[in-house]
């Protein structure tokens, strides 16, 4: 059998195997049931396969399993019922062995896992969420993080991950904002390419590589009203220039899989959008991987979008549009055969989808090395090296927003510190959505991090939660105010929560998304399915801050949250404000290191933070025709895109552009001198923005086109260079093709989108010179 010959090219092996398969076996390769339902755990830690899973294999096969090791309230897998890293690898091997040895052709299963900020399995390292990762402005660091995530996942047999999330955020009320890198397509594109390099490595069949899946394609970060899965209202030019850009960069970097979004664009659901999935992705971009739906998305074509009257129609729409695998639904399994028999899809279309799935299985090495190494899983998952990496990512992603009078860093000789707030000592609240249950001691909270710096003397580090995230009870106020009055400084840790485990909120059993609930016991106010109508603090958190402020103590506010907080009173009155987003398992250590000066903060915002929710949508790269102001307020943000403070000062000067006249295919060198004029070493993010001053279509006021993160010692000066060429100057023109037009471009360099040095560059084609 040629398909078993590892020396043959993948295309030949696929052709041979496909010729041996029945129609039901081909359909089986397009099906991905829930993996955690394929087995049950026995008392000795081993597993027993379910009869339903065995029957599915016997009935035509199972191409993939979703979330086999996923642990959270949706799967109902707990610390007690779940599997250790070593047990998990052994379980995946047992499932794989049964599939290989008990099916006619021995086709291995593709195990797909959630890995947005770490493998969503018990014991895995919990890294900061992507919003914190984006705030590092450090693609190389993110690539290193992705290598660690890939190694942990593949060590247990997971060969595919459903990340990175490349959605461009346009309304941060959206509950999945935390899963994104922010609002800028260029920055997201740089991080997307880093993710592909990190996750997929040098070779897909390596023991530390997994197949990346780009999601959610496309426009998912621009939902109507910030509501998850709502329609995205945008024209094709904006779609290509903004939302599709990061996906294109990831495809150019070698991404192997794409997941369409739940939403519709101009009346066409992304799951059945032939223009996006075939014409753009495959014909224009040359993508040769596979396309997998989001969970239950084909079902939504019949029940939600209502573009299909029957299951057969829904399955046919998806397959013909370019869907190769259905994630955790049963529409292909139930209806695709009938659709084929009645002529709604052709045998050739079925073969094409099956061949794409099989091709990736060969490329991943699943036919030749289908089993994981449990001993490697035991040693690598949650390793000290990965824990240190998680801390470094948090340290670089945490943003200092305000530091009035240089209140920070605090002295380690301080007499006492009161650590107060619902997020001061809540492990799950600092992890974000898509997180597995955590054993005691796995997570370092802010309170624990501060105790680690100042020691365990209870008289030096005082603690009170004060209140909860969503509850209106003030019962905790007296204790909080009492310890605040005793302390020399107050660290107030407030914000939000995406903790499914902590609150036990309701779950949509079909998709796994959380469901909004009014139960007071749920603190979850962010995450998938949890959208907001405002951006203010919930519960009585603002009142707690105001009561503490009246004591006259120095107050450092730390936000731990999944979307921006809009609280003008805190912005005005708190002398110091830190934005940490969800900083992961080492977040407490990272924040303590910043509070006491062991780490100089270098995170920068990747979202524009508004003064008021009524300013939304508000993002830095808006069109010049956006308008001037509202009756009650202008359009200026509270904190601009790219903003972040340091414990030192950086100065910019001597902006040079050479040459300052180029052709559309030529290159100019932009240089600027950056100096550390402050007292301590620090990292600065030097940002390049370009403005197309006159164009055939309207352009953004400015757009990020380059950045460098540099470290400077006190007094050190460095010249930072950017190459400006077609990639930085092109736009999507009148005919939807990328083009560089003649004209004048503004070249702007600085520390954030609102504080920039300016120069100019002229582009002239040969025709323009005549």
């Amino acid at each position: 059998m040629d398909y078993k010959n590892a020396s043959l090219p993948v295309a030949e092996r696929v052709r041979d195997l496909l010729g041996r398969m029945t129609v039901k076996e081909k359909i089986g390769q397009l099906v991905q049931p829930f993996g955690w339902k394929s087995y049950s755990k026995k008392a000795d830690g081993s597993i027993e396969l379910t009869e339903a899973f065995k029957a599915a294999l016997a009935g035509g096969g199972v191409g993939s399993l979703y979330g086999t090791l996923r642990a959270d309230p949706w799967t109902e897998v707990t610390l007690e019922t779940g599997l250790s890293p070593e047990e998990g690898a052994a379980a995946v091997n047992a499932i794989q062995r049964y599939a290989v040895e008990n099916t006619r052709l021995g086709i291995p299963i593709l195990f797909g896992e959630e890995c947005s900020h770490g493998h969503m399995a018990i014991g895995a390292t919990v890294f900061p969420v992507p919003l914190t990762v984006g705030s590092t402005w450090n693609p190389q660091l993110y690539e290193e993080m992705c290598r660690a995530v890939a190694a942990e996942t593949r060590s247990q047999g997971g060969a595919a991950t459903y990340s990175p999330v490349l959605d461009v955020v346009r309304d941060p009320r959206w509950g999945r904002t935390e899963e994104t890198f922010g609002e800028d397509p260029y920055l997201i594109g740089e991080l997307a390419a880093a993710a592909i390099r990190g996750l997929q490595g040098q070779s897909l069949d390596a023991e530390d590589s997994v197949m990346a899946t780009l999601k959610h394609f496309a426009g998912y970060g621009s939902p109507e009203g910030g509501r998850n899965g709502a329609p995205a209202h945008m024209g094709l030019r904006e779609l290509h220039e903004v939302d599709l850009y990061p996906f294109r960069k990831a495809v150019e970097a070698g991404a192997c899989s794409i997941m369409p979004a739940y939403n519709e664009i101009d009346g066409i659901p992304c799951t059945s959008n032939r223009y996006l999935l075939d014409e753009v992705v495959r014909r224009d971009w040359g993508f040769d991987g596979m396309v997998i739906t989001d969970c239950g998305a084909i079902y939504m074509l019949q029940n939600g979008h209502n573009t299909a009257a029957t299951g057969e129609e829904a399955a046919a729409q998806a397959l013909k549009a370019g869907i190769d695998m259905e994630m955790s639904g049963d529409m292909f399994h139930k209806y695709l055969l009938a659709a084929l028999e009645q002529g709604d899809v052709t045998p050739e279309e079925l073969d094409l989808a099956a061949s794409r799935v099989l091709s990736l299985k060969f490329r991943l090495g699943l036919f030749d090395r289908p089993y994981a190494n449990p001993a490697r899983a035991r040693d690598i998952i949650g390793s000290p090296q990965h824990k240190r990496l998680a801390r470094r990512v948090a340290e670089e992603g945490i943003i200092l927003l305000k530091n009035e009078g240089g209140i920070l860093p605090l002295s380690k000789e301080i007499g006492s510190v009161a650590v107060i707030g619902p997020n001061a000592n809540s492990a799950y609240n600092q992890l974000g959505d898509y997180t597995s249950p955590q054993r005691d001691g796995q997570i370092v909270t802010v309170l624990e991090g501060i105790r680690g710096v100042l020691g365990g003397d209870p008289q030096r580090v005082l603690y009170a939660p004060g209140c909860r995230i969503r509850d209106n009870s003030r019962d905790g106020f007296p204790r909080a105010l009492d310890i605040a009055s005793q302390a020399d400084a107050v660290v107030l840790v407030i914000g939000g929560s995406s903790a499914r485990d902590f609150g036990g909120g309701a779950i949509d059993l079909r998709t796994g998304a959380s469901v909004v609930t009014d139960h007071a016991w749920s603190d979850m106010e962010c995450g998938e399915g949890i959208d907001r109508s405002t951006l203010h603090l919930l519960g009585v958190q603002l009142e707690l801050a105001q009561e503490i402020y009246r004591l006259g103590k120095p107050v450092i506010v730390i936000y731990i949250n999944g979307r921006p907080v809009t609280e003008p009173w805190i912005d005005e009155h708190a002398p110091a404000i830190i934005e940490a987003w969800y900083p992961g398992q080492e977040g407490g250590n990272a924040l303590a290191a910043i509070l006491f000066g062991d780490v100089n903060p270098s995170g920068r915002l990747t979202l524009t933070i508004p003064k008021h929710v009524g300013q939304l949508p508000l993002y830095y790269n808006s069109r010049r025709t956006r308008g001037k102001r509202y009756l009650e307020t202008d359009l200026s943000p509270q904190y601009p895109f790219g903003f972040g403070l340091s414990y030192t000062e950086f100065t910019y000067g001597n902006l040079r552009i050479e040459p300052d006249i180029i052709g559309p295919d030529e290159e100019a060198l932009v240089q600027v001198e950056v100096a550390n004029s402050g007292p301590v070493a620090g990292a600065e993010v030097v940002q390049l923005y370009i403005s197309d001053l006159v164009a055939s279509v309207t352009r953004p006021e400015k757009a990020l086109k380059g950045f460098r993160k540099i470290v400077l010692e006190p007094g050190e000066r460095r010249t930072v260079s950017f190459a400006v060429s077609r990639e930085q100057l092109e736009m999507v023109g009148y005919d939807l093709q990328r083009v560089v037009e003649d004209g004048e471009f503004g070249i702007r360099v600085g520390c954030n989108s609102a504080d920039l040095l300016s120069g100019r560059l002229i582009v002239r084609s040969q025709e323009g010179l005549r």
Side-chain angles (χ1 to χ4, degrees):
M1 298 182 181
D2 285 350
Y3 77 90
K4 293 186 177 182
N5 186 346
S7 66
L8 293 177
V10 167
E12 289 188 27
R13 299 178 76 180
V14 170
R15 190 181 308 112
D16 178 69
L17 177 55
L18 201 63
R20 300 173 185 273
M21 297 171 69
T22 66
V23 168
K24 286 187 176 181
E25 287 170 337
K26 293 173 183 177
I27 292 174
Q29 289 303 301
L30 316 188
V31 172
Q32 185 194 63
F34 294 129
W36 66 86
K37 293 186 176 182
S38 66
Y39 67 94
S40 60
K41 180 183 178 182
K42 296 194 292 188
D44 62 359
S46 63
I47 66 162
E48 182 175 11
L49 300 184
T50 64
E51 293 304 315
F53 174 68
K54 293 179 181 178
L57 283 176
V62 172
S64 179
L65 286 175
Y66 170 80
T68 304
L69 299 176
R70 176 172 173 163
D72 69 341
W74 183 31
T75 64
E76 298 181 332
V77 176
T78 65
L79 290 172
E80 292 71 29
T81 62
L83 302 169
S84 71
E86 191 171 9
E87 291 170 344
V92 169
N93 282 349
I95 297 169
Q96 187 75 284
R97 184 169 291 106
Y98 186 89
V100 169
E101 296 179 357
N102 292 274
T103 55
R104 188 175 70 90
L105 296 170
I107 302 174
I109 290 173
L110 173 65
F111 291 90
E113 298 288 317
E114 294 288 0
C115 306
S116 174
H117 54 114
H119 186 196
M120 198 176 170
I122 291 171
T125 307
V126 185
F127 291 91
V129 295
L131 193 53
T132 309
V133 170
S135 299
T136 70
W137 291 66
N138 191 337
Q140 293 76 25
L141 180 60
Y142 181 46
E143 181 178 341
E144 187 178 347
M145 171 184 149
C146 287
R147 293 301 298 147
V149 172
E152 291 197 5
T153 306
R154 194 63 182 262
S155 73
Q156 288 188 293
T161 173
Y162 304 111
S163 58
V165 174
L166 304 183
D167 305 316
V168 180
V169 175
R170 283 295 178 256
D171 191 330
R173 293 177 298 173
W174 180 44
R176 304 192 76 171
T177 296
E178 67 183 80
E179 296 180 50
T180 76
F181 299 120
E183 70 183 39
D184 182 76
Y186 178 84
L187 176 60
I188 298 170
E190 294 297 296
L191 292 165
I196 302 309
R197 293 191 301 268
L199 292 170
Q200 297 187 174
Q202 296 296 316
S203 177
L204 279 180
D205 62 358
E207 65 177 0
D208 56 356
S209 294
V210 295
M211 178 180 75
T213 301
L214 315 177
K215 67 181 188 183
H216 307 84
F217 191 73
Y220 194 50
S222 302
E224 179 182 274
R227 298 182 301 275
N228 190 45
H233 303 291
M234 65 178 67
L236 280 177
R237 182 168 293 100
E238 181 179 358
L239 181 66
H240 277 272
E241 200 159 67
V242 177
D243 286 73
L244 297 188
Y245 177 86
F247 289 90
R248 177 167 63 85
K249 301 307 290 185
V251 168
E252 290 172 358
C256 292
S257 177
I258 293 176
M259 178 187 293
Y262 284 126
N263 59 282
E264 62 183 75
I265 301 174
D266 195 24
I268 309 298
C270 293
T271 305
S272 57
N273 194 320
R274 294 192 198 186
Y275 171 72
L276 287 178
L277 301 182
D278 185 42
E279 184 172 334
V280 172
V281 168
R282 297 200 184 275
R283 298 184 193 179
D284 294 349
W285 297 354
F287 175 71
D288 64 353
M290 82 172 196
V291 177
I292 180 171
T293 72
D294 208 335
C295 185
I298 299 179
Y299 175 86
M300 290 177 63
L301 297 179
Q302 183 185 2
N303 301 276
H305 293 298
N306 289 28
T307 59
T310 66
E312 289 83 1
E313 286 185 14
Q317 284 181 12
L319 189 75
K320 294 178 82 67
I323 297 296
D324 303 310
M325 181 178 286
E326 180 184 14
M327 172 185 277
S328 305
D330 58 6
M331 302 295 281
F332 275 176
H333 173 70
K334 285 183 176 180
Y335 302 112
L336 195 53
L337 179 59
L340 181 69
E341 291 174 342
Q342 61 195 32
D344 293 337
V345 297
T346 67
E348 291 76 17
E349 289 168 332
L350 174 60
D351 283 359
L352 183 59
S355 69
R356 289 168 177 161
V357 174
L358 293 172
S359 177
L360 280 168
K361 288 187 177 185
F362 281 114
R363 291 174 61 190
L364 286 160
L366 298 181
F367 281 86
D368 307 314
R369 295 181 303 280
Y371 305 117
N373 182 347
R376 175 174 166 79
R378 178 196 62 216
D379 294 340
I380 197 171
I381 292 175
S383 67
Q385 177 185 357
H386 292 172
K387 184 183 295 186
R388 289 191 295 271
L389 180 58
R391 176 170 174 170
R392 184 182 166 200
V393 175
E395 289 173 348
E396 290 205 27
I398 292 168
I399 307 159
L400 179 62
L401 293 177
K402 185 178 180 182
N403 192 22
E404 191 175 83
I407 186 176
L408 292 177
L410 297 173
S411 170
K412 294 179 183 178
E413 304 305 316
I414 192 170
S416 61
V417 175
V419 186
I420 297 172
N423 282 346
N425 195 38
S426 177
Y428 284 115
N429 281 17
Q430 71 183 47
L431 301 183
D433 203 358
Y434 283 85
T435 299
S436 61
Q438 302 297 310
R439 299 194 186 280
D440 291 342
Q442 178 86 351
I443 311 303
V444 181
T445 65
V446 178
L447 175 64
E448 292 166 342
I450 292 174
R451 283 175 174 165
V453 173
L454 296 183
D457 184 352
Q459 301 305 312
R460 292 196 71 196
V461 183
L462 311 170
Y463 165 67
C467 64
R468 295 190 64 164
I469 298 294
R470 292 177 56 184
D471 191 32
N472 289 323
S473 172
R474 297 166 180 79
D475 291 347
F477 278 29
R479 167 64 179 161
L481 294 172
D482 178 52
I483 67 167
S485 67
Q486 301 174 40
D488 296 305
V490 177
V491 176
L492 181 60
V493 194
I494 53 181
S497 172
S498 297
R500 302 186 187 197
D501 295 90
F502 185 75
I507 300 292
D508 182 326
L509 297 179
R510 182 172 55 84
T511 67
S514 295
V515 177
V516 175
T517 171
D518 291 327
H519 292 302
W521 39 254
S522 174
D523 269 343
M524 190 174 185
E525 57 79 63
C526 194
E528 185 176 3
I530 308 296
D531 309 312
R532 294 275 309 273
S533 62
T534 71
L535 292 175
H536 64 72
L537 293 169
L538 292 181
V540 293
Q541 294 183 88
L542 178 60
E543 292 180 44
L544 177 64
Q546 292 169 332
E547 291 288 333
I548 291 173
Y549 177 79
R550 292 189 185 101
L551 296 175
K553 302 286 184 174
V555 179
I556 299 97
V557 171
I558 296 176
Y559 287 134
I560 292 180
N561 48 309
R563 56 163 74 85
V565 170
T566 299
E567 284 294 358
W569 187 93
I570 290 179
D571 291 321
E572 179 181 353
H573 291 90
I577 303 173
I578 292 174
E579 177 58 80
W581 307 123
Y582 293 130
Q585 72 175 61
E586 285 292 304
N589 282 332
L591 280 161
I594 288 172
L595 286 171
F596 291 96
D598 292 327
V599 170
N600 191 347
S602 63
R604 302 293 184 265
L605 288 173
T606 62
L607 290 170
T608 301
I609 298 185
K611 292 180 292 190
H612 189 280
V613 72
Q615 294 177 302
L616 296 177
L618 185 66
Y619 42 92
Y620 88 92
N621 52 352
S622 57
R623 305 281 169 171
R624 297 186 178 96
T625 53
R626 63 177 179 162
K628 301 301 182 183
R629 61 170 295 121
Y630 295 99
L631 175 65
E632 303 91 342
T633 186
D634 58 24
L635 298 184
S636 62
Q638 184 65 47
Y639 301 103
F641 175 86
F643 179 80
L645 299 176
S646 170
Y647 292 152
T648 191
E649 298 290 333
F650 298 99
T651 56
Y652 287 70
N654 196 20
L655 177 64
R656 305 184 301 278
I657 305 165
E658 298 176 353
D660 59 1
I661 301 177
I662 62 172
D665 292 311
E666 296 176 340
E667 181 177 288
L669 185 66
V670 176
Q671 295 184 307
V672 66
E673 289 185 4
V674 183
N676 181 348
S677 54
V680 295
E684 171 70 328
V685 179
V686 185
Q687 302 165 37
L688 167 71
Y689 297 84
I690 295 181
S691 301
D692 191 344
L693 300 182
V694 178
S696 60
V697 298
T698 62
R699 305 292 297 132
E701 182 67 29
K702 64 177 81 77
L704 181 75
K705 294 298 180 180
F707 59 90
R708 300 282 187 276
K709 192 166 192 175
I710 61 172
V711 178
L712 296 177
E713 295 296 322
E716 184 180 359
R717 182 182 302 270
R718 187 178 305 174
T719 297
V720 178
S721 301
F722 298 95
V724 174
S725 59
R726 170 174 286 275
E727 182 177 352
Q728 287 75 35
L729 298 172
E730 69 182 9
M731 68 175 190
V732 176
Y734 197 82
D735 58 358
L736 297 182
Q737 299 300 307
R738 299 197 299 275
V739 63
V740 177
E741 293 185 338
D742 285 6
E744 184 176 347
F745 292 80
I747 304 298
R748 304 174 183 180
V749 181
C751 59
N752 63 67
S753 61
D755 188 359
L756 302 165
L757 300 177
S758 296
R760 74 168 194 166
L761 174 68
I762 304 296
V763 175
R764 290 180 184 166
S765 62
Q766 290 300 314
E767 291 77 6
L769 292 173
R770 286 198 290 268

